[in-house]
């Protein structure tokens, strides 16, 4: 079975074969413990992004205020992608198959651009990191937001 790592502080995929991590620190820890075959990235991580998501997006308002991101020292999925590239280079590992599922279009583009450039320029592979959306477990997400 493929090892799958899902980086997101709010969303929980319905497919329970994903290992879910919610922060930069947990992402690093998970990869150092067991290198995954597949990673799916969110961009906005942390309490400010989560609060804004809960207040706006999850309640049906189609707008998220991204001015909080990094302003308060929160690490993002882009920081995780940068760390992953350094880790792969230092350990002579190929980049795992990566996807981006973030609702942040600019953050998604930044992660995809970074990883695809690494694949093309360093690993001499075809860029194949794409944006996707996984089926989510709404009940677990709601419990996660309320606790």
């Amino acid at each position: 079975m493929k090892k799958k790592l899902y980086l997101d502080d709010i969303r929980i995929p319905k497919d329970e074969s994903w290992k879910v991590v919610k922060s930069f620190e947990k992402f690093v820890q998970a990869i150092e413990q067991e290198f995954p075959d597949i990673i799916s990235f969110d961009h906005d991580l942390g309490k400010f992004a989560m609060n804004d998501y809960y207040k706006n997006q999850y309640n049906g308002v189609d707008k998220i205020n991204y001015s909080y991101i990094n302003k308060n020292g929160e690490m993002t999925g882009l920081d995780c992608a940068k760390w992953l590239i350094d880790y792969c280079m230092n350990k002579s590992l190929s980049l795992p198959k990566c996807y981006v599922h973030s609702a942040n279009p600019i953050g998604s583009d930044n992660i995809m651009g970074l990883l695809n450039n690494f694949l093309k320029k360093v690993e001499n592979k075809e860029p194949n990191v794409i944006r996707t959306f996984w089926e989510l477990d709404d009940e677990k997400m709601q419990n996660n937001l309320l606790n």
Side-chain angles (χ1 to χ4, degrees):
M1 179 177 233
K2 293 197 180 242
K3 296 174 286 270
K4 301 180 340 185
L5 186 62
Y6 190 88
L7 173 66
D8 200 303
D9 62 325
I10 297 171
R11 296 175 200 86
I12 299 171
K14 224 173 209 177
D15 176 354
E16 294 183 358
S17 66
W18 290 96
K19 176 177 183 168
V20 178
V21 293
K22 298 181 179 189
S23 67
F24 176 85
E25 293 78 14
K26 295 293 184 187
F27 178 83
V28 169
Q29 194 176 61
I31 289 176
E32 288 177 335
Q33 287 175 356
E34 183 175 45
F35 195 74
D37 299 302
I38 302 169
I39 300 175
S40 189
F41 289 86
D42 182 24
H43 181 270
D44 305 332
L45 307 171
K47 71 176 185 177
F48 292 103
M50 183 174 163
N51 287 342
D52 202 64
Y53 179 86
Y54 180 69
K55 284 190 241 174
N56 295 321
Q57 190 74 5
Y58 202 77
N59 286 319
V61 178
D62 195 24
K63 184 178 180 185
I64 296 176
N65 180 358
Y66 291 112
S67 65
Y68 295 119
I69 309 308
N70 279 117
K71 186 177 185 179
N72 296 290
E74 289 183 351
M75 303 296 270
T76 67
L78 182 60
D79 295 308
C80 293
K82 289 176 183 177
W83 180 89
L84 176 64
I85 286 173
D86 287 342
Y87 184 83
C88 287
M89 290 180 72
N90 290 335
K91 301 283 187 183
S92 299
L93 296 169
S94 291
L95 197 65
K97 176 66 181 151
C98 294
Y99 297 93
V100 179
H101 64 265
S102 179
N104 179 337
I106 295 170
S108 294
D109 286 347
N110 289 337
I111 295 169
M112 288 186 301
L114 176 73
L115 296 173
N116 280 326
N117 282 334
F118 179 76
L119 285 169
K120 184 177 182 179
K121 306 278 185 190
V122 178
E123 293 192 355
N124 296 315
K125 295 180 181 173
E126 281 296 312
N128 62 11
V129 179
I130 61 168
R131 192 167 182 204
T132 191
F133 297 96
W134 308 103
E135 188 176 3
L136 302 175
D137 189 324
D138 290 329
E139 185 178 328
K140 285 183 183 174
M141 284 173 46
Q142 186 72 338
N143 288 338
N144 187 35
L145 290 169
L146 295 174
N147 294 326

